[in-house]
Amino acid sequence: MPETSAAKPSWAEPFKIKMVELLRMTTREERERVIVAAGYNTFLIRSRDVYIDLLTDSGTAAMSDRQWAGLMLGDEAYAGSENYYHLEAAVQKHYGYKFLLPTHQGRGAENILSQLLIKPGDYVPGNMYFTTTRLHQERAGGAFVDVIVDEAHDPASEHPFKGNVDIAKLDRLVQEVGAARVPYISLEGNVNMAGGQPFSMANLKELHAYCRRHGVLIMLDATRIIENAFFIKEREPGYGAKSVGQILREICDLTDGATISAKKDLLVNIGGFLACNDEDLFKRAQNLAVVYEGLHTYGGLAGRDMEAMALGIEEALMEEHQAARIGQVRYLGAKLEAAGVPIVKPIGSHGVFIDAAAFLPHLDRDDYPAQALAAAIYVDSGVRAMERGNVSAGRDPQTGRNRRPELELVRLTIPRRVYTQAHMDVVAESIAGLFARRDNIPGLRMVYEPEYLRFFQARFEPISP
Ligand code: F0G
């Protein structure tokens, strides 16, 4: 934040623009054809048909000139690339874990971790599910158990740390099945499916003490952990004077290891890693990496990608970056709130989440209101959002029925360093207009349902009113 004479200086980007990517505008008629051809699934739209792309914050960041320059330092040796050692040093310094295994992206690390730590019949508690994380836990024979605080399932709750673990829920599980059947708790920073909600340091300390007593490991999903650290600095007593980097380190020191999708916090277009402190676990992970990812010093990445990631860690820890990133998300959220649009509160770090169940109360959950709303937003303005509700949650493996989660959300995810305040205005105007005409938005019927992570590839048709 700049030092100015203003009482409360506004956030502004700590960068200027050196190169631009032109966007293509489409007509409403074109978009009506596109959404039908895409089976009402925004994942199946070609990006050339999108005006403002808020599908995800994953791999969509604009890299800095330093990162682009870093690409030229790519050492593309099959084994022992210089960039691996640079990345290893950055992870050791800032996250504090001893051992680093790069992977092609987050789910590559999740696959390896799940296979190594979960035995069939185990239970894996977590502060809300994430789609790929839970799938890998289930494929390894485990069952995911949600132990997040109740407030996380209530879009209107203003709880400042809706990502907190409810230790009583965790204890109930441990008492019921025995700690030997609970290899680790999967702890996510800025919980994606809850709307980008942080956990507090106080909660993590309590969790750490509990897990040490019962011999349960804490494995962090560090995908958006730097954004979580920023929220701790803003909201938690005693942390205002600490740097985001110090808070990050304090978090990691209370955990046993981490998987990360570097495509978010770390401002790169591809990459991830698994990091831990246990040498035996690390050796076994390195060995599995050669089966699924590539040699353990590149894990499916080019040397240049690892270089960009190492530089991205430093940029992500710059507080002016986080202030502008989160400032922009809040700017959009405040505009939507002012228009009366129901959104998840408090506004999270990586996007604004519309409460589609409240937006479209005339639709049943099995008419997929969030999917229908994401499609309607696209047709209205060419803005691409994503469903995070009944389609994303999938079916219960035991009953085969839709899980019908409490949160039925449309995620307007903001890529880092990509769009301007004026883009946010266009998004807010379109959604406010749709809100006024919301009764006309029809529900959807699923006409094609793939077996895994169905939200990526499912197809729908409108239910005629
Ligand atoms: N964990 C979290 C919390 C995530 O948000 C993601 C990806 C992953 C793990 C998996 O990482 O995609 O690199 O394999 N989230 C993206 C999203 C897909 O749009 O939220 P990945």
Side-chain angles (χ1 to χ4, degrees):
M1 217 74 79
E3 295 271 326
T4 72
S5 57
K8 197 171 176 291
S10 66
W11 61 273
E13 291 80 1
F15 56 81
K16 58 183 178 172
I17 296 165
K18 191 177 320 229
M19 187 191 276
V20 299
E21 180 179 335
L22 300 186
L23 298 176
R24 202 173 74 93
M25 313 269 182
T26 49
T27 62
R28 189 180 179 92
E29 290 68 44
E30 281 176 282
R31 294 193 295 275
E32 277 168 353
R33 278 197 300 275
V34 166
I35 200 71
V36 172
Y40 290 79
N41 185 343
T42 52
F43 279 103
L44 302 179
I45 300 174
R46 290 174 65 150
S47 79
R48 70 188 296 275
D49 294 325
V50 173
Y51 174 36
I52 300 173
D53 203 348
L54 307 187
L55 184 70
T56 176
D57 63 329
S58 182
T60 52
M63 292 205 297
S64 68
D65 50 357
R66 290 170 74 243
Q67 287 176 295
W68 278 99
L71 295 185
M72 293 307 296
L73 302 177
D75 170 6
E76 307 307 340
Y78 189 89
S81 159
E82 252 327 270
N83 313 114
Y84 166 77
Y85 295 101
H86 188 185
L87 178 62
E88 181 191 45
V91 170
Q92 287 170 340
K93 175 172 171 203
H94 296 293
Y95 293 80
Y97 299 116
K98 285 191 201 141
F99 304 111
L100 166 75
L101 176 71
T103 58
H104 76 283
Q105 56 182 69
R107 69 199 74 181
E110 290 170 351
N111 174 36
I112 291 173
L113 184 78
S114 301
Q115 287 201 37
L116 290 177
L117 291 184
I118 301 171
K119 296 185 302 299
D122 280 352
Y123 294 84
V124 187
N127 54 345
M128 204 170 268
Y129 81 101
F130 184 70
T131 54
T132 59
T133 321
R134 180 174 65 192
L135 181 62
H136 282 297
Q137 292 163 355
E138 288 172 353
R139 285 172 65 80
F144 171 83
V145 181
D146 189 11
V147 295
I148 203 166
V149 293
D150 285 342
E151 287 87 344
H153 294 282
D154 172 10
S157 161
E158 294 271 6
H159 191 298
F161 292 108
K162 285 167 101 172
N164 278 354
V165 172
D166 184 331
I167 310 275
K169 284 185 193 170
L170 174 63
D171 189 50
R172 234 171 286 143
L173 173 71
V174 169
Q175 298 305 330
E176 201 180 302
V177 305
R181 305 272 297 280
V182 183
Y184 65 95
I185 176 166
S186 180
L187 179 72
E188 186 188 332
N190 269 22
V191 181
N192 192 351
M193 301 304 281
Q197 304 294 332
F199 59 73
S200 69
M201 194 71 84
N203 184 249
L204 174 55
K205 284 182 183 161
E206 202 187 328
L207 178 68
H208 179 259
Y210 180 90
C211 287
R212 283 290 175 273
R213 267 203 310 283
H214 292 86
V216 174
L217 300 175
I218 303 177
M219 289 297 169
L220 187 67
D221 182 335
T223 297
R224 298 183 184 82
I225 199 64
I226 301 180
E227 292 177 352
N228 195 128
F230 186 83
F231 278 149
I232 288 176
K233 181 180 167 78
E234 270 192 341
R235 295 181 186 166
E236 193 160 353
Y239 286 90
K242 293 201 175 164
S243 70
V244 171
Q246 286 170 321
I247 299 170
L248 171 68
R249 190 58 198 269
E250 194 174 328
I251 292 172
C252 295
D253 285 351
L254 291 165
T255 69
D256 297 286
T259 56
I260 180 168
S261 168
K263 302 168 72 173
K264 285 81 167 178
D265 261 0
L266 301 188
L267 302 162
V268 288
N269 303 124
I270 194 71
F273 61 76
L274 190 163
C276 63
N277 292 324
D278 177 336
E279 189 163 6
D280 177 58
L281 176 67
F282 176 59
K283 284 202 169 126
R284 291 190 298 136
Q286 279 189 316
N287 192 221
L288 259 196
V290 297
V291 182
Y292 292 104
E293 301 289 313
L295 192 72
H296 53 274
T297 54
Y298 76 85
L301 297 172
R304 55 180 172 268
D305 297 326
M306 292 189 281
E307 190 63 26
M309 204 195 296
L311 293 164
I313 293 175
E314 281 165 21
E315 293 182 14
L317 286 170
M318 291 163 71
E319 276 158 45
E320 58 273 32
H321 162 68
Q322 293 299 347
R325 190 272 180 292
I326 290 165
Q328 185 178 44
V329 174
R330 287 181 183 150
Y331 176 83
L332 174 62
K335 286 221 144 192
L336 289 172
E337 253 196 302
V341 176
I343 61 170
V344 173
K345 302 292 296 295
I347 296 163
S349 68
H350 67 302
V352 179
F353 290 65
I354 304 173
D355 181 354
F359 197 113
L360 300 176
H362 57 287
L363 300 184
D364 181 76
R365 294 298 165 95
D366 286 333
D367 299 339
Y368 306 116
Q371 190 78 28
L373 180 56
I377 293 169
Y378 171 73
V379 172
D380 189 64
S381 53
V383 171
R384 170 154 70 173
M386 183 202 289
E387 189 267 5
R388 295 271 78 155
N390 203 7
V391 183
S392 291
R395 291 180 188 275
D396 184 301
Q398 256 72 55
T399 67
R401 284 218 273 283
N402 274 342
R403 283 182 163 113
R404 295 174 64 100
E406 277 174 66
L407 295 177
E408 178 72 20
L409 310 175
V410 169
R411 187 180 75 172
L412 301 163
T413 343
I414 316 294
R416 296 168 184 78
R417 309 195 291 206
V418 170
Y419 291 112
T420 66
Q421 199 155 320
H423 287 119
M424 298 301 114
D425 291 343
V426 169
V427 173
E429 284 158 18
S430 163
I431 293 168
L434 270 180
F435 188 58
R437 306 189 303 278
R438 59 192 179 275
D439 297 346
N440 302 332
I441 299 175
L444 297 172
R445 166 182 334 112
M446 201 183 302
V447 294
Y448 167 64
E449 180 172 358
E451 186 177 356
Y452 302 115
L453 304 174
R454 64 183 185 179
F455 57 96
F456 283 129
Q457 292 149 337
R459 302 184 69 87
F460 302 82
E461 281 172 1
I463 302 169
S464 22

